[in-house]
Amino acid sequence: MKRFLAMLLASVLAVGIIAFATNGEGRRTDGLYYEVTGIRPDAQIMTVDGEKVSAEEYLYWLSSQCDKLAAYYPGVDFNTQYTDSMTFGDFVKTDAQEMAKLYAIVRQWSEKYGVTLTDADREEIAQQRAQYVSYYGSEEAYQNQLRLLGISEESFNTINEAAYYYADLAKLFCNEDGAQRPSDETLIAFAADNGYCTAKTLYVRTSGLDEAALAEKRSQLEAAAEQLRAAEDKDAAYLELAASLGIETNGSALTFRASDVSDAAAEILSPLQSGEVSDIVEGSDVLYVFLMQEPDCTALAQYYFNQLVSDAQTNAKVKTSRAFDRIDTASFYTGLQEARSALATCRATAQTPLGKKKSAA
């Protein structure tokens, strides 16, 4: 079952989005989440800027985040303090809420910008489903795995669709012909305001080196930087120097936030213009030299879009129900594991290893 969980989590943008009921209290009484919590799956458990989030969606997020934490920390006690003010259970519950916020925003934006699934999207989703059925051996086995997860197929179908909505939204904002793509001037200003650079990179690794070896590596990189500064054809010189340093590259530039390299990188790189070569920048177990390039607006558009989504998530107005407030992560996950185990045992005793039902005798 762990492999199935991993496959499902990997198949979508992060997991999460389902259909919503108009009845705030919900009507459904099916599934492991209802069995464990008594909360109806289609009940409205929270809103994000007015967008409804059902109990099944949130509890799917919560169970997924619990599964991931338990995989990293086997036997984790969700009542243990994670920080002075937060237990592991509080952390996971908050993280699940953040994911629900994110995907509520994806739904809202898809509607706002008229994003719908293409025929190619639907065909790919159908192929993905067929792969799951093939992997588990039959339609019945696949449905059983969904029941063990605790989610209905309708909800899981919508989860898979979410990745496509997000990708199509990104195209609107990032592709050169995208209707929502900002102007190059806006993207360049965004890069300047947020410390993004476009550059080709020379580097040497320093992990495990003693002082003498480190000094030799630094000297080697300094010499490369001087040759690059002096070169008339810097792009050709870059390729030759990269090869001499054992760097595999096709000569393309990278766009990145300088502060992600090191705290000092932004100060060193921000004054430089296209064609200029930086001094040595120290990273974590790496020394860098950068050949600055003109801003790559295609790459910057993706960062810009990511920032828009992140800001919307941060600033979203969230209202939660009393049912949400009553959820205790430790009790929920313990109950869910017990319910999964009981369901798996029930399925196993009802079938032979070949999947045929046992006779009454």
Side-chain angles (χ1 to χ4, degrees):
M1 190 177 77
K2 287 183 179 179
R3 184 170 183 178
F4 178 73
L5 293 170
M7 288 177 65
L8 297 189
L9 291 171
S11 72
V12 296
L13 177 60
V15 242
I17 299 181
I18 69 154
F20 297 90
T22 56
N23 183 341
E25 297 301 319
R27 294 188 176 90
R28 289 171 49 197
T29 56
D30 59 289
L32 294 188
Y33 300 151
Y34 177 74
E35 179 182 333
V36 171
T37 66
I39 303 172
R40 293 178 177 178
D42 54 346
Q44 178 182 314
I45 203 167
M46 59 187 286
T47 60
V48 180
D49 289 335
E51 180 78 14
K52 297 176 182 177
V53 177
S54 74
E56 185 171 19
E57 176 182 9
Y58 176 74
L59 292 173
Y60 180 73
W61 277 111
L62 184 59
S63 65
S64 298
Q65 300 304 91
C66 286
D67 285 332
K68 286 194 286 186
L69 186 63
Y72 283 118
Y73 301 104
V76 61
D77 181 352
F78 287 94
N79 288 319
T80 299
Q81 291 296 130
Y82 176 66
T83 66
D84 290 342
S85 60
M86 179 179 287
T87 65
F88 278 103
D90 296 331
F91 168 76
V92 171
K93 188 174 180 180
T94 300
D95 202 31
Q97 185 181 32
E98 288 300 308
M99 299 305 287
K101 286 168 59 179
L102 174 61
Y103 283 94
I105 290 166
V106 170
R107 286 195 298 276
Q108 289 176 320
W109 285 22
S110 295
E111 183 175 354
K112 178 179 179 179
Y113 296 111
V115 171
T116 57
L117 295 178
T118 66
D119 290 341
D121 291 339
R122 295 186 186 282
E123 182 178 353
E124 191 170 333
I125 290 171
Q127 290 175 350
Q128 185 181 70
R129 184 187 187 282
Q131 289 174 355
Y132 287 139
V133 173
S134 176
Y135 178 80
Y136 287 100
S138 69
E139 175 68 26
E140 182 181 4
Y142 172 63
Q143 293 295 333
N144 286 340
Q145 292 299 324
L146 287 177
R147 293 187 188 98
L148 284 171
L149 257 184
I151 194 168
S152 66
E153 182 169 19
E154 181 182 0
S155 298
F156 184 57
N157 287 343
T158 311
I159 287 171
N160 278 318
E161 291 171 3
Y164 295 89
Y165 284 123
Y166 188 91
D168 289 340
L169 282 168
K171 291 175 184 177
L172 281 181
F173 282 85
C174 301
N175 286 6
E176 288 189 6
D177 59 351
Q180 300 300 320
R181 172 161 167 155
S183 67
D184 286 356
E185 292 76 13
T186 298
L187 292 171
I188 291 170
F190 167 77
D193 291 341
N194 294 274
Y196 285 99
C197 302
T198 300
K200 297 182 179 182
T201 309
L202 298 175
Y203 61 87
V204 293
R205 301 190 183 280
T206 60
S207 177
L209 300 182
D210 59 24
E211 289 187 13
L214 178 59
E216 182 179 349
K217 287 288 188 181
R218 180 181 288 274
S219 178
Q220 183 183 15
L221 191 59
E222 286 174 345
E226 287 303 318
Q227 292 179 58
L228 194 54
R229 290 190 185 98
E232 194 167 317
D233 185 344
K234 286 184 167 52
D235 289 333
Y238 167 78
L239 289 173
E240 292 178 4
L241 291 166
S244 71
L245 293 170
I247 300 169
E248 294 186 8
T249 178
N250 60 6
S252 61
L254 297 175
T255 297
F256 56 94
R257 195 196 299 263
S259 59
D260 290 340
V261 177
S262 70
D263 292 339
E267 184 177 349
I268 294 172
L269 300 182
S270 60
L272 299 181
Q273 302 299 311
S274 177
E276 295 185 324
V277 179
S278 75
D279 293 330
I280 287 181
V281 175
E282 295 192 18
S284 177
D285 296 327
V286 184
L287 299 177
Y288 299 97
V289 163
F290 296 98
L291 171 60
M292 307 306 291
Q293 305 288 295
E294 293 293 338
D296 181 345
C297 288
T298 298
L300 288 171
Q302 183 65 62
Y303 286 117
Y304 185 90
F305 174 66
N306 292 346
Q307 189 63 55
L308 286 179
V309 175
S310 178
D311 289 346
Q313 184 182 4
T314 299
N315 298 324
K317 295 180 180 178
V318 178
K319 295 181 180 178
T320 57
S321 70
R322 286 176 293 180
F324 175 91
D325 297 335
R326 290 197 301 268
I327 295 171
D328 175 77
T329 303
S331 298
F332 166 74
Y333 195 58
T334 298
L336 182 62
Q337 293 295 80
E338 291 173 352
R340 283 173 172 172
S341 179
L343 180 58
T345 300
C346 179
R347 300 272 176 209
T349 56
Q351 296 182 347
T352 68
L354 295 178
K356 298 179 180 178
K357 291 184 178 179
K358 293 180 179 180
S359 66

